[in-house]
Amino acid sequence: SVNFKKFKQLLNNYDDVDDYVINKNGSQAEFDLVLKKIKDYDVVIVGIHKMSRRPPNFGITSQTVNFIDKLSSEKAVILNLFGNPYALNKFKDIKRIQAINISYNNWRLTQDIAAQLIYGGIPAQAHLPVGAGGIPSGRGFIEEKIRLKYSVPEEVKIKSEDLKVIDSIILGAISTKATPGCTILAIKNGVIFFNKSYGFHTYQKKNPTQNGDIYDLASITKVAATLPSIMKLYDQKKIDINKKLSYYLPELDSTNKKNIIIRDILAHQARLKPWIPFYLQTFSDIRTHKLNPYIYSSEKTKNYNLQVAESLYITEAYEDTLFQRIFDSKLERKKRYKYSDMGFIMFYRMVEKITKTHLEQYTYDNFYNPLGATTLGYNPLERFYKEDIVPTENDTKYRKQLLQGYVHDYAAAMLGGVCGHAGLFSNADDLAKLAQMYLQRGEYGGRRYIADSTIRYFAKCVACKKGNRRALGFDRTTKSGKGPAINDVSPDSFGHTGFTGTMVWIDPEYQFVYIFLSNRIHPDINNRKLISGNVRAKVQRVFYNTFL
């Protein structure tokens, strides 16, 4: 069989790339079938992997030539030849092909580099050394690096040897059951130099953790879904964060929250309750944890159409009840820093009202899809296999099942898995694209998502002198050690953590991004060993020790 695994893997690191394989001596029917399958695609990458060294055909059949000729007459085609450049002489109208990359051989390293070059993870700087296919020698073009590159620590002047202590930290954490497993990713100067997974999905050790695994991000949702949406609307002058939230949600006018300011909510100083156990009021018997049959159903129906978990649906009408409980909740006595989910739950409704679009669709259209962040999104079971998603709590009280692919957060679950404070899932690679966009002040892959000045404004500390380390939505760490990151991070760094054992941290001064994903609440929500052991911070310190 032809080896193209590395090429496919790297392409999928950048985007959701479907693949279709035609054998070297494939029949015309096989070529026709693939043409039919890809008729709705705009761009097609064609990799010819099994080439021979013998001229004049170099192992390329006339059927392959006819296939590419027809394809390039209808679509944008990127052709990658993993062999001799003289094979270009075989093609009929080479000028119709959008772009051509010559890789000379089919080694794994060559496939890696070819995929990264196609997506701009590395710059295109080489020129054709010989004339072929009507293209004169010396022809080529210069393209700058526009996306993340995958490489080794030495590329960013870090010794691999100095990072081995991370293995000891994580294996020690796993042995004490701080978490069954985790994935750690680190970026320096636009290069992913560390991307490694440890342990298993569960303590039964049946499913080893892999780099592509999808995690429940928990409160990282606040800065990966709600906040970018608010910043984009701020850029468009559709939101004024110095206005009262009631300006956008008039239903607050008759509540004690009519005067709270959006800016204060973002900084967690709006006197909101930190948390409300909404689900408790949906039990018909609190002692036995029996769910109210008027609120829930084991089957999806017209009235019970929001899925909470497997074989568990809630009536859509309960959303109003949930929000009313927020509206009716008391305010804290003093205006001071108090971390709260309530504001971001209300932001969910605010963003949807302003955009007239469901938050799930709005974030996909404006951020995740153009970023190529294919796993970043809500309700992953609608798009991915259950086995690719890391399980969280074995919930014995509310949902009475192991949660795998369904959001752990109770409120987000009761809203069908989509909310402003929780609900987002992702693998490390795709979260890295969003984080790198923040690091690059709103730009990634040649596209601007958010204004540079907006990122800077929202990432600044709001009321540091009053004891609030928070920025507008983002978390920060002080030199005195308050916050989730180590105190060696730069003063302008920012990020967020998640209840499930996740963390993303962005440091513009050092051009560094740190991502830690785990399921520390499996199987028990009360497991705090990852937190008490400072595992995320210890790993972060190892990275900083290599370049400070």
Side-chain angles (χ1 to χ4, degrees), residues 337 459-462 464 467-497 503-509 514 534 536-537 540-541 544:
Y337 169 59
K460 281 186 177 180
C461 187
V462 172
C464 288
N468 184 354
R469 69 173 190 265
R470 292 270 172 171
L472 294 172
F474 293 112
D475 199 357
R476 293 168 58 92
T477 288
T478 65
K479 281 296 181 184
S480 62
K482 291 182 179 179
I486 59 173
N487 56 12
D488 286 328
V489 299
S490 73
D492 292 329
S493 71
F494 55 94
H496 215 281
T497 57
M503 180 177 182
V504 57
W505 207 261
I506 300 140
D507 196 327
E509 181 176 329
Y514 169 56
N534 262 341
R536 289 171 288 191
Q540 187 181 36
R541 184 172 295 283
Y544 273 81

Side-chain angles (χ1 to χ4, degrees), residues 377-443:
Y378 294 93
N379 291 319
L381 287 172
E382 295 177 1
R383 297 168 290 127
F384 301 101
Y385 294 114
K386 186 176 183 178
E387 295 74 21
D388 295 331
I389 307 168
V390 179
T392 53
E393 182 191 7
N394 183 19
D395 184 358
T396 59
K397 293 182 180 179
Y398 174 38
R399 288 154 287 194
K400 299 179 178 64
Q401 59 185 268
L402 173 65
L403 297 172
Q404 189 171 5
Y406 297 102
V407 60
H408 175 263
D409 182 87
Y410 305 107
M414 295 170 70
L415 293 169
V418 182
C419 199
H421 71 299
L424 212 58
F425 286 73
S426 182
N427 66 18
D429 290 89
D430 288 338
L431 182 58
K433 295 166 189 174
L434 182 72
Q436 187 68 19
M437 183 269 284
Y438 283 148
L439 182 70
Q440 296 175 183
R441 305 298 189 189
E443 187 275 335

Side-chain angles (χ1 to χ4, degrees), residues 161-174:
E161 189 74 21
D162 293 341
L163 300 176
K164 287 186 177 180
V165 66
I166 293 174
D167 296 352
S168 300
I169 294 170
I170 298 304
L171 294 177
I174 291 172

